[in-house]
Amino acid sequence: MKTSDNNRTNGAAPVKEPPALNRGENFGGNYEIPQLPPGLEEKIELAKGLQEDITQQLKELSFGPGGEPVIPPGLPGELILKDELEKIKDIITGKYRLPAGIRIAHVELTQSTQFCNFDNLSSGAADDNSVPLVANKDLIIRVYVDKRPGMAGYVPNLVTGRVRFAGKEFTPLNGPIPPRDKTLIRRSNLNHTLNFRIPAALCHGERTFQVRAFDIAYTSPLVGIGINIDGSLMHFSSTSETFYARFRNVPHLKVCGVMINYAGPNFNLPAPLGTDLPTSLSRFLPMFPIQGFDFGPCTVTPWGDDMQIESGKKGSGWDSLINFIANLRSASTIRAIYVGLLPTNLAGQLGIGQRGIGRPGIAIAAKDDTRALSHELAHALTLLHLDDGTGAAGPYETNYPKYKEGTFPFGSIGEFGLNTSRMTLFDPANSVDLMSYGDGMDVLFPTNTWISPYHYQRMLNTIVASDGTGDIITIVAIVVIANFRVYRDGKVELLSSYIVDNVSRYDNAPITDAILLDIHGANGEVVGTHRCHRHNPYQDEENAFIDYHELIPWTKDFSGFSVIRNGKVIDTIKTEKKKSKIKLDNISRVQRNGDLMHLKWNTEAENAEQPTMIRYSNDNGKTWQAIATDVKNASHLVNLDLLPGGKECRLEVIASGLQKVSVQTEPFEVPVKPRKAFLYSPQDGETFTAGTSISFLGGGYSPDHDPCGFDEISWHSNIQGYLGAGNQMSKNDLIPGTHRIIMSMPDGAGGEVKTGVWIRVVEEGDDREAGHC
């Protein structure tokens, strides 16, 4: 098996060859594997015991008229074939070694996508198995078994195998399969390989593991004898090799949800539940280079702007919604990806031409729209569109590979992708990368969209560099969150803007050369220049306007900014002549239908309808989370159940504008909440056919506690006992019966929390309906 040095550090590679005279257990590949003719184990064992006597009898063995051997006393009575006699004697004397008729031609290690050009039908763009492996994420080992060329021993009709990994032995998910000539094995067919699932709980650090392939028909009298991994004799034609894997620690993707109650003329779509967010994101968890999500506090907000008007057009709800969520994120100290989750687009209220929007740090799409949500979350992790002719707007990813030297269509995923949860393959010949607009169907599981190795590794690097937050650089400061719209004719409109403290002043969005800002000091003089960013990737210069969301460091001398386009000042935005005033009128705690706090305030400003922002702190103002923005009314109801607790909690009301105007409540106490357990899959009452893969997904959540460690979440069945660990896993070995599935974990407060469902596993062909996750 040919491998590269890169493979030896990131993926699969044989362990270093032992010396020629001391090969030990690590045989395979081109090693000579001890192999005996069919049905001779008893003969050999007896011959070894009788040694010289038996050897002499074998030498004197005669044959009858029909060519059948005459069995001397003391030897087994089974038929000894004439052409086996010399081999028997050579085996006894230790002179003869015949290679197995099968061999392990290749092993592919994949968790989503992987370079592997075994059949020369993939890209060949990098060394095999060089895509990094992620710790605590399910691993699929695909074992390519072929017929050994040249002189070889017995070739079985069907083979199966075993993988010994981290001290445990695993059977394949499929098979048995027939061994094929190497030229006939296709990576595009999952049943051309033996496929093994290694649970996420075992995938960490550096692992050496053994792979064995052998004849399935071990009871047949024509089966050969081979050597097991431990050196013992086996009743089948067998081959074995040892490989190496290294797993990289990748942080959880940190997510805060904004659940959107969308209402318009003649309709009111309720906001998705908090549990809908992990359910929607989990559908493409097998695609992304992460082990899971870390869910932070979520916010529920009403929304009424028209989502049927596409981005870049006047009145677009998409444009105003991304501005709204950008304000929430930029005004929060704790960094995370903000996911705006709209209700399911059942009747087209969210439009047809546009189903989502995203920018670095922000993704917005509808519940259950896997294609749009994964695409926008990739935008949140700084990935750009592909210019593959499917209609996506620029800016584009200019370094995207032309896989297989351009033989694959541009935008192809380049390598075979694998959904390890559902065990479905994505062919690079007809599957597009998630940053293309191809395969735009609004379905739970798109059939021709996956991720390329290029974007998989780009996304992994961003997640690692940003510690799962999307922000590679964080510099805390007092910041002017300046939102403005630049029209084609040069008009500049200031949108709701806020001055906030204890937030990051760095924006990971791409820099644009179209617009610069000159920052003015106390007397109107230019004290600095600010380069603007591409805030909304769905707007371009052909639109009537472009929106900007800029984070400008604030000082007490700040007096506004000038907007410069093509080297010329097109407008100047100055601070308000009269500073606004804001004061709290009423604060009341409502312990009804949850822990609620009602805020009421009064604002004195030039604009009587001046919007406001609400922020919350559970540590007396050291850190803040924005929970509402662009509040038009002078009151707001805060759901404290959704927020982390503490003894010194505060709420802050900030007036919009370019003056620093805000007011805070006195400290108050909010209870610290233990984790609650949420089991998303399987669902209660589901029925599965024995042998099918069942996806287990769940976790614990509290705004006050970090997510559970991987080993802290355990799964049990009342029939089979312990099933595994982790927030997500797949099992295909549940036995028929009615199972009570229990997921349990620490509650963060010294106790345990658990939840469960009932499922039924039936034999194949059972007339009771069976489905799958």
Side-chain angles (χ1 to χ4, degrees):
M1 174 176 175
K2 295 181 180 179
T3 58
S4 71
D5 290 339
N6 192 34
N7 292 351
R8 296 180 187 274
T9 57
N10 292 304
V15 170
K16 184 178 180 181
E17 281 192 18
L21 298 179
N22 184 27
R23 286 174 174 159
E25 299 174 4
N26 297 325
F27 51 85
N30 294 323
Y31 298 159
E32 293 180 347
I33 302 176
Q35 182 73 23
L36 301 181
L40 299 178
E41 184 182 21
E42 292 186 21
K43 305 176 184 64
I44 298 306
E45 291 301 313
L46 181 57
K48 287 179 178 178
L50 299 177
Q51 296 180 349
E52 295 181 1
D53 292 342
I54 298 300
T55 302
Q56 186 62 32
Q57 291 183 33
L58 287 172
K59 289 180 179 178
E60 298 173 357
L61 190 64
S62 59
F63 298 88
E68 70 280 2
V70 177
I71 308 299
L75 284 181
E78 292 90 342
L79 178 66
I80 299 178
L81 301 179
K82 181 177 181 179
D83 61 358
E84 296 173 343
L85 296 178
E86 292 303 318
K87 296 177 183 178
I88 293 174
K89 289 184 284 185
D90 288 339
I91 287 291
I92 293 171
T93 59
K95 297 178 181 178
Y96 185 80
R97 289 177 180 267
L98 182 67
I102 56 174
R103 68 175 179 179
I104 296 171
H106 200 55
V107 165
E108 175 186 351
L109 307 183
T110 183
Q111 295 175 311
S112 169
T113 183
Q114 186 57 271
F115 288 113
C116 178
N117 203 27
F118 172 79
D119 54 5
N120 295 317
L121 297 178
S122 300
S123 73
D127 295 320
D128 288 358
N129 290 310
S130 59
V131 173
L133 301 177
V134 175
N136 296 323
K137 185 178 179 71
D138 272 9
L139 171 68
I140 298 298
I141 301 176
R142 295 189 67 183
V143 179
Y144 295 76
V145 182
D146 74 342
K147 296 178 181 178
R148 183 183 295 276
M151 180 183 177
Y154 167 68
V155 179
N157 292 324
L158 295 171
V159 295
T160 186
R162 298 288 185 271
V163 167
R164 188 151 188 87
F165 194 102
K168 300 181 182 296
E169 188 166 84
F170 295 92
T171 59
L173 301 173
N174 64 327
I177 63 171
R180 294 175 169 84
D181 291 334
K182 181 178 180 179
T183 58
L184 299 179
I185 299 176
R186 292 291 173 264
R187 193 179 174 207
S188 59
N189 191 327
L190 280 174
N191 285 319
H192 279 200
T193 57
L194 293 172
N195 308 313
F196 299 82
R197 181 187 304 280
I198 307 301
L202 301 180
C203 297
H204 54 81
E206 299 180 1
R207 297 289 194 185
T208 298
F209 61 96
Q210 293 77 39
V211 179
R212 176 163 54 94
F214 55 84
D215 185 0
I216 188 64
Y218 58 86
T219 58
S220 167
L222 297 179
V223 173
I225 296 174
I227 304 297
N228 203 340
I229 290 174
D230 62 4
S232 60
L233 290 173
M234 299 186 301
H235 288 267
F236 11 77
S237 181
S238 172
T239 185
S240 175
E241 287 201 42
T242 301
F243 294 89
Y244 169 84
R246 171 181 290 172
F247 297 91
R248 184 175 180 181
N249 291 322
V250 178
H252 286 75
L253 194 61
K254 296 176 175 62
V255 172
C256 285
V258 181
M259 309 293 113
I260 301 165
N261 167 209
Y262 181 46
N266 304 316
F267 70 89
N268 187 349
L269 303 180
L273 300 175
T275 55
D276 291 326
L277 183 59
T279 301
S280 293
L281 297 185
S282 70
R283 294 194 180 95
F284 49 85
L285 178 58
M287 184 199 304
F288 280 21
I290 54 174
Q291 57 175 294
F293 298 95
D294 177 358
F295 293 99
C298 67
T299 301
V300 180
T301 187
W303 195 252
D305 291 357
D306 195 338
M307 306 301 290
Q308 292 187 323
I309 301 176
E310 295 180 17
S311 185
K313 298 179 180 179
K314 186 177 181 180
S316 168
W318 294 104
D319 287 344
S320 56
L321 184 55
I322 196 171
N323 293 345
F324 174 89
I325 296 180
N327 282 338
L328 289 178
R329 184 174 189 269
S330 294
S332 299
T333 306
I334 301 172
R335 311 311 293 158
I337 303 292
Y338 272 59
V339 177
L341 198 64
L342 288 152
T344 304
N345 190 14
L346 295 177
Q349 294 97 333
L350 304 184
I352 299 174
Q354 183 171 357
R355 304 205 316 266
I357 191 169
R359 59 150 285 165
I362 298 171
I364 305 170
K367 166 193 169 186
D368 295 336
D369 191 343
T370 303
R371 181 68 177 92
L373 197 54
S374 60
H375 178 92
E376 305 306 341
L377 196 56
H379 274 316
L381 293 167
T382 73
L383 301 192
L384 301 176
H385 286 147
L386 296 182
D387 188 12
D388 62 348
T390 56
Y396 300 113
E397 174 54 62
T398 57
N399 295 318
Y400 194 79
K402 294 181 179 179
Y403 283 113
K404 205 171 175 62
E405 299 180 344
T407 303
F408 289 151
F410 185 70
S412 161
I413 56 175
E415 291 287 329
F416 280 92
L418 178 65
N419 184 323
T420 59
S421 177
R422 296 168 57 83
M423 288 304 292
T424 52
L425 272 176
F426 296 84
D427 193 324
N430 53 39
S431 296
V432 296
D433 183 82
L434 80 168
M435 298 316 294
S436 165
Y437 271 13
D439 185 33
M441 297 296 293
D442 181 2
V443 294
L444 291 180
F445 299 101
T447 56
N448 294 103
T449 299
W450 201 245
I451 192 169
S452 64
Y454 177 80
H455 274 150
Y456 187 86
Q457 294 179 92
R458 283 282 306 274
M459 187 181 289
L460 185 151
N461 291 338
T462 298
I463 293 169
V464 171
S466 68
D467 194 29
T469 67
D471 288 339
I472 296 176
I473 299 176
T474 300
I475 303 174
V476 176
I478 302 176
V479 166
V480 181
I481 301 176
N483 296 292
F484 57 95
R485 177 170 289 178
V486 178
Y487 290 86
R488 189 186 301 155
D489 63 3
K491 176 186 174 183
V492 177
E493 177 186 1
L494 183 67
L495 306 175
S496 296
S497 301
Y498 302 90
I499 299 177
V500 295
D501 59 2
N502 287 345
V503 298
S504 175
R505 66 177 179 87
Y506 189 84
D507 191 341
N508 280 313
I511 296 289
T512 177
D513 294 327
I515 296 291
L516 292 175
L517 302 181
D518 273 349
I519 310 303
H520 298 293
N523 299 315
E525 74 278 16
V526 175
V527 296
T529 299
H530 175 88
R531 298 183 67 187
C532 291
H533 300 76
R534 187 168 179 92
H535 162 58
N536 185 338
Y538 290 81
Q539 295 177 344
D540 57 42
E541 295 180 357
E542 296 180 357
N543 295 139
F545 58 83
I546 296 179
D547 290 338
Y548 292 89
H549 174 87
E550 300 302 324
L551 307 179
I552 305 170
W554 179 88
T555 68
K556 61 182 179 60
D557 293 329
F558 174 79
S559 64
F561 57 87
S562 294
V563 181
I564 301 172
R565 184 168 66 185
N566 298 325
K568 296 181 180 180
V569 175
I570 60 174
D571 206 344
T572 297
I573 307 297
K574 297 181 179 181
T575 57
E576 298 81 4
K577 294 180 180 179
K578 182 180 179 180
K579 188 173 182 178
S580 304
K581 295 180 181 180
I582 188 168
K583 66 177 182 178
L584 294 172
D585 281 349
N586 184 51
I587 306 170
S588 57
R589 193 83 169 259
V590 182
Q591 300 284 347
R592 183 178 66 250
N593 297 324
D595 190 1
L596 308 175
M597 179 168 281
H598 185 263
L599 281 180
K600 191 174 181 180
W601 60 90
N602 180 269
T603 304
E604 296 179 10
E606 295 177 3
N607 178 9
E609 297 181 354
Q610 187 173 19
T612 53
M613 172 185 285
I614 313 296
R615 297 202 303 174
Y616 171 82
S617 172
N618 72 327
D619 54 12
N620 203 24
K622 294 178 182 177
T623 61
W624 292 95
Q625 180 188 353
I627 57 176
T629 187
D630 296 349
V631 179
K632 303 286 194 299
N633 299 321
S635 65
H636 191 74
L637 189 64
V638 179
N639 186 350
L640 298 174
D641 284 336
L642 301 178
L643 300 170
K647 293 185 179 296
E648 294 184 298
C649 302
R650 288 178 180 267
L651 287 165
E652 180 181 37
V653 183
I654 305 171
S656 67
L658 300 183
Q659 299 264 19
K660 192 174 188 296
V661 180
S662 65
V663 64
Q664 296 181 12
T665 66
E666 292 298 321
F668 55 90
E669 185 172 356
V670 174
V672 173
K673 292 162 277 291
R675 292 189 186 100
K676 293 182 179 179
F678 297 96
L679 199 164
Y680 308 112
S681 174
Q683 296 182 3
D684 194 54
E686 279 195 283
T687 300
F688 303 88
T689 300
T692 59
S693 182
I694 302 175
S695 177
F696 294 80
L697 173 67
Y701 172 72
S702 164
D704 292 289
H705 300 287
D706 291 334
C708 289
F710 192 87
D711 294 334
E712 292 183 305
I713 302 174
S714 62
W715 299 80
H716 290 80
S717 160
N718 63 328
I719 297 177
Q720 288 180 242
Y722 179 72
L723 299 177
N727 64 297
Q728 185 173 37
M729 65 178 188
S730 296
K731 299 283 287 183
N732 70 330
D733 58 354
L734 265 64
I735 62 177
T738 300
H739 294 253
R740 176 64 173 172
I741 302 298
I742 297 293
M743 180 192 67
S744 61
M745 70 202 70
D747 67 0
E752 183 184 49
V753 61
K754 60 180 65 177
T755 187
V757 294
W758 289 98
I759 65 170
R760 186 169 57 193
V761 178
V762 299
E763 295 280 7
E764 187 173 0
D766 194 309
D767 57 4
R768 292 171 291 185
E769 183 178 356
H772 61 77
C773 297

